[in-house]
Amino acid sequence: MEKDVYILAIESSCDETSVAVVKNGREVLSNVVSSQIDIHKLYGGVVPEIASRNHVINIDGVCEEALSRAKVDIEKIDAIAVTYGAGLLGALIVGVNFAKALSYRLKKPLIAVNHIEGHIAANYIAHSDLEPPFACLIVSGGHTALCKMETYTRRVLIGTTVDDAIGEAFDKVARECGLEYPGGPNVDRLTKEGKKCINFVVKPHEKLKDFNFSYSGLKTAVINYLHNKKQRGEEVNIADVCRSFEEEAVDQVVYKSIEACKKFGLKTLVLAGGVSANSFLREGAEREGKKAGVKVLYPEVGLCTDNAAMIGSAAYFCFIEGKNIASNLTLAPKANVDL
Ligand code: KG4
Ligand code: ZN
């Protein structure tokens, strides 16, 4: 029998400080997430400098808690994994330096993980029999992309957003509607009380070229609608605005993803990233997937948003292939990383 692999993973790319211990890429022994949402809520969005400072304050304790919950002695850890990008530079620096120090002191390899690969890998934890190839729709605050996972560590980009990310559109619309940060879950909640009675269609998504996405037109249409109503002193039904926006936003990614599965002969579509927690997206993808004979998978809500367990899973598949091993003296964080 092959030896078990234990990975200690660190995630600090935005406003969650998280450390996890993952066994053999799929078994989460601990996944401690310290969220700063309540702090950033006061400002209506993430303040990068405040995020970095709080990572510094939290990371030691979060790491100790992760090891203690996992009941794994630190000497038993085979490798240290860390998100090196994409993300907020100051926030990434904290996790990367913490990981470099641990790797140096324990004399264990350091694995540099692309945050997006982590979001995809959350599905390996959630679905123990999931194996490539499959199509993956990545929908987060910073990304909207469709790719084909050829192997655990090799993927081909099929489409990406030409302007805003879908999560960014959710958060901006939420803010204009007077909803608290983070906007996505709040829009999603209100949507259930509203009707799709406002037409925000800018360009039918069937007409968008290739498998690329666009969200800035939709976002602007909602903002203009709200401003016009305000100028005229007319009342706005926020639940109807949320419903009309959300259905339009979700239809675009669902339509393109299913079309891509058909074109590339892929029978499984995996959803990844914070917006994959969205109830309409999950329902819509499952409904359209069923019609097209495509199985749709997504992780539980806690694994959709940022967490270190997903980083540990992605790192495991790199580790066993000897990929992405980084220097614990020179690894540098990157604000932008290629998809
Ligand atoms: O993946 P994530 O935690 O961070 C990034 O890597 O960006 O994604 C955060 C994004 C935010 O834009 C948040 O509003 C959105 O995911 N989000 C949602 C939902 N839950 C989180 N958007 C729509 N519906 C949700 N239920
Ligand atoms: Zn993320």
Side-chain angles (χ1 to χ4, degrees), residues 41 85 148 196 296 302:
K41 210 182 244 180
K148 177 183 175 188
K196 187 176 191 262
V296 174

Side-chain angles (χ1 to χ4, degrees), residues 11 13-14 16 83 86 115-116 118-119 138-143 272-275 304-307 310-311:
E11 156 65 38
S13 65
C14 192
E16 325 279 2
T83 304
H115 183 75
I116 291 303
H119 275 303
I138 300 136
V139 277
S140 71
H143 295 93
V275 184
C304 289
T305 44
D306 293 348
N307 67 89
M310 66 185 198
I311 303 302

Side-chain angles (χ1 to χ4, degrees), residues 293-335:
V294 172
K295 186 162 131 192
V296 174
L297 299 174
Y298 43 79
E300 62 254 34
V301 171
L303 283 175
C304 289
T305 44
D306 293 348
N307 67 89
M310 66 185 198
I311 303 302
S313 175
Y316 168 78
F317 296 103
C318 297
F319 181 73
I320 55 174
E321 291 185 23
K323 288 184 174 167
N324 296 10
I325 310 295
S327 158
N328 57 24
L329 291 177
T330 59
L331 175 66
K334 282 188 174 178

Side-chain angles (χ1 to χ4, degrees), residues 116 119-121 123 134-139 145-149 155-159 213 257 261 266 268-273:
I116 291 303
H119 275 303
I120 299 169
N123 284 280
F134 55 81
C136 185
L137 173 69
I138 300 136
V139 277
L146 195 51
C147 66
K148 177 183 175 188
M149 289 304 290
R155 67 190 179 284
V156 178
L157 188 65
I158 298 173
F213 307 98
S257 303
C261 287
L266 296 162
T268 305
L269 169 66
V270 158
L271 311 180

